[in-house]
Amino acid sequence: INFSVLKGKTTAIVGLSGSGKTTLVNLLPCFFDIKEGDILMDGISVKKYNLPSVRKNISLVSQDILLFNETVAYNICYANNQASKDQMIEAAKKANAHEFIVQLPNGYDTMIGEKGARLSGGQKQRLSIARALLADAPILILDEATAALDVQSEKLIQTALDELIQNRTTIIIAHRLSTVKNADQIIVLDKGQVENIGKHDDLMAKGGLYKTLYNTLING
């Protein structure tokens, strides 16, 4: 596997289940040690960076949301505990979360339960996006961020994600290919290897796995 992700651009990674998409992006924050090859950030190997500094520069929004049995405010500010209350609320508004938060029994001071048990899937995801906005990391990874949501929740979250990816280096993993059509580049993975790289129209013209996936998932 060999590809470049340009600063400030959006890269989508698509492929069949089991093709290695999540494993690939989990290498970026160094969740796994690299046994062969290398990952370069600004031309420097991640092995030469301090691990906390690498992770501080990456925000991850995934289908499996990490939430604590704490207040709404605690969960949003977890990635930036120096943020002011106004900054927290602004992040929640951009994530389309403020409206439901203020309707909770104690607003931002409401305890959300273990893994956010007192919230719906869409509400939990919007808290995760608010946290990523507050962290303001330059690199953003979206791993199936809307996969488990109903249509109404997905629309709200897609609007929040559009806000989140502005001026960031973004890597998107999605089964719903309608969400990746406008990416600056699309990387097609097949059995752990890069099958093709290009923009949506180019990949559709070439045929191959991307066109098959698109026609199957979008057009039935």
Side-chain angles (χ1 to χ4, degrees):
I1 289 177
N2 184 23
F3 62 88
S4 296
V5 174
L6 296 178
K7 181 179 179 180
K9 302 294 184 180
T10 298
T11 295
I13 301 176
V14 302
L16 296 169
S17 295
S19 60
K21 303 184 295 296
T22 296
T23 301
L24 177 61
V25 297
N26 281 343
L27 290 171
L28 300 182
C30 303
F31 292 158
F32 305 112
D33 290 329
I34 305 167
K35 295 180 180 178
E36 295 181 24
D38 208 349
I39 296 173
L40 308 180
M41 292 186 179
D42 290 337
I44 300 171
S45 170
V46 291
K47 299 171 186 175
K48 296 182 179 180
Y49 284 105
N50 176 276
L51 182 58
S53 72
V54 171
R55 292 179 176 170
K56 185 177 180 180
N57 283 281
I58 299 173
S59 286
L60 173 63
V61 179
S62 69
Q63 182 179 350
D64 299 320
I65 305 159
L66 177 62
L67 293 174
F68 303 96
N69 186 16
E70 262 288 354
T71 65
V72 170
Y74 178 93
N75 277 279
I76 294 176
C77 294
Y78 180 75
N80 182 2
N81 56 19
Q82 301 300 314
S84 68
K85 183 177 180 180
D86 286 344
Q87 289 173 319
M88 174 189 68
I89 292 173
E90 182 62 22
K93 286 179 177 178
K94 288 181 178 179
N96 282 324
H98 179 72
E99 186 176 341
F100 87 77
I101 292 171
V102 296
Q103 294 176 358
L104 295 173
N106 296 306
Y108 283 84
D109 294 322
T110 302
M111 298 290 288
I112 65 171
E114 194 70 35
K115 296 182 180 180
R118 295 178 183 144
L119 303 176
S120 70
Q123 289 171 337
K124 289 189 284 188
Q125 195 62 280
R126 279 177 274 169
L127 284 194
S128 178
I129 293 169
R131 180 195 294 164
L133 281 161
L134 199 59
D136 199 25
I139 300 171
L140 174 66
I141 299 172
L142 303 176
D143 186 359
E144 299 288 2
T146 64
L149 304 175
D150 57 69
V151 174
Q152 185 176 3
S153 294
E154 184 180 5
K155 286 180 178 178
L156 281 172
I157 286 169
Q158 192 59 55
T159 301
L161 291 176
D162 289 343
E163 175 74 34
L164 180 58
I165 67 175
Q166 295 298 315
N167 303 314
R168 298 182 207 278
T169 304
T170 305
I171 300 173
I172 300 174
I173 296 176
H175 281 126
R176 301 181 186 184
L177 298 188
S178 57
T179 63
V180 306
K181 283 179 64 175
N182 296 324
D184 296 292
Q185 70 171 348
I186 300 169
I187 297 169
V188 186
L189 283 188
D190 186 23
K191 298 175 183 176
Q193 298 185 359
V194 175
E195 191 249 14
N196 223 326
I197 299 177
K199 287 181 175 286
H200 171 77
D201 290 342
D202 297 333
L203 293 173
M204 290 297 287
K206 287 179 182 177
L209 179 59
Y210 181 82
K211 185 175 182 179
T212 300
L213 286 170
Y214 187 83
N215 286 337
T216 301
L217 296 174
I218 303 300
N219 299 325

